[in-house]
């Protein structure tokens, strides 16, 4: 544990865990074979076989699974799980997101509910996300896909094909309103009873 680091109550460290200087490790953290750099803030984080670089802000309620590497000055927010992935520096994974088997560039912003769909029922596949990417809320990246630099995805998009650099990707159907549908559905259900 490095100089000027503060470890609050209810923190567990095991294995070959190393904590850098000037960190604040708040309650609810568990580190096993994890390396945390200097000047990091961690709260309610479970990290196993992970690396967190200098200046990262992680938590609360974050799970870093084996082979996860968080870059410098990243923000990993509440209810995020990352597995077997590299997250580039100054990337924000703010909340309610799963990143699995992926290589993510720097200065990426992941909107709420972003999911990396890495398992097809038989094998795991990887995604690659470039630098300066904005993934809109509820984007699902169905691996294997490559997202180029400077890409935006529209909220609610299910991305199944590579996206070239400098592109806006929209992968959703148009909204269709079925007026009167609810009354018809309820009438059918009422007859069934």
């Amino acid at each position: 544990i490095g100089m000027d680091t503060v470890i609050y109550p209810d923190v567990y460290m095991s294995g070959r865990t190393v904590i850098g200087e000037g960190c604040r490790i708040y309650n609810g953290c568990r580190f096993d074979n994890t390396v945390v750099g200097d000047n990091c803030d961690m709260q309610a984080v479970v990290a196993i076989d992970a690396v967190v670089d200098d200046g990262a802000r992680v938590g609360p309620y974050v799970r870093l699974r084996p082979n996860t590497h968080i870059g410098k000055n990243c923000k990993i927010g509440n209810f995020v799980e990352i597995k077997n992935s590299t997250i580039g520096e100054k990337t924000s994974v703010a909340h309610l997101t799963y990143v699995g088997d992926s290589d993510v560039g720097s200065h990426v912003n992941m909107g709420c509910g972003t999911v990396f769909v890495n398992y097809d029922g038989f094998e795991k596949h990887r995604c690659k996300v470039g630098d300066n990417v904005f993934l809109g809320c509820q984007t699902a990246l169905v691996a294997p896909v490559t997202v180029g630099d400077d890409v935006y995805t529209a909220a609610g998009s299910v991305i199944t094909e590579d996206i070239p650099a400098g592109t806006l990707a929209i992968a959703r159907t148009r909204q269709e309103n079925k007026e009167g549908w609810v009354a018809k559905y309820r009438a059918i259900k009422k007859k069934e009873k």
Side-chain angles (χ1 to χ4, degrees):
I1 298 173
M3 188 179 295
D4 296 325
T5 284
V6 178
I7 307 289
Y8 286 82
D10 191 30
V11 171
Y12 299 86
M13 293 176 276
S14 61
R16 296 177 309 279
T17 293
V18 176
I19 308 293
E21 297 181 358
C23 295
R24 287 185 298 275
I25 309 299
Y26 294 99
N27 60 310
C29 288
R30 176 185 160 218
F31 302 123
D32 185 27
N33 297 324
T34 292
V35 176
V36 177
D38 297 336
N39 302 307
C40 293
D41 283 1
M42 313 278 279
Q43 181 178 0
V45 176
V46 174
I48 299 171
D49 297 319
V51 175
V52 178
D53 287 343
D54 298 349
R57 305 288 178 257
V58 184
Y61 313 115
V62 169
R63 184 175 180 204
L64 304 179
R65 291 170 58 188
N67 300 316
T68 292
H69 188 162
I70 306 298
K72 290 182 178 180
N73 301 309
C74 284
K75 177 185 176 185
I76 310 298
N78 41 324
F79 305 106
V80 170
E81 181 175 4
I82 303 175
K83 178 211 114 180
N84 191 25
S85 295
T86 301
I87 308 295
E89 67 179 46
K90 294 188 178 178
T91 285
S92 176
V93 186
H95 38 228
L96 300 165
T97 294
Y98 172 71
V99 181
D101 301 304
S102 297
D103 300 300
V104 177
S106 63
H107 300 273
V108 172
N109 185 81
M110 294 188 201
C112 178
T114 298
V115 177
F116 287 66
V117 185
N118 59 325
Y119 185 54
D120 65 6
F122 299 98
E123 296 179 31
K124 302 285 177 88
H125 301 279
R126 289 190 79 77
C127 284
K128 183 173 180 2
V129 175
D131 298 332
N132 305 306
V133 169
F134 183 94
L135 298 175
C137 291
Q138 300 294 328
T139 293
L141 298 175
V142 181
V145 294
T146 298
V147 176
D149 295 340
D150 302 303
V151 162
Y152 279 64
T153 64
S157 291
V158 178
I159 304 299
T160 58
E161 298 176 14
D162 292 351
I163 306 172
T167 299
L168 167 63
I170 304 169
R172 58 187 187 208
T173 60
R174 293 195 179 275
Q175 179 173 324
E176 182 178 343
N177 295 332
K178 304 271 188 176
E179 293 186 22
W181 182 89
V182 173
K184 291 176 187 175
Y185 175 75
R186 288 181 179 162
I188 292 168
K189 292 309 258 180
K190 190 174 182 180
K191 285 181 184 178
E192 290 177 359
K193 289 183 180 181

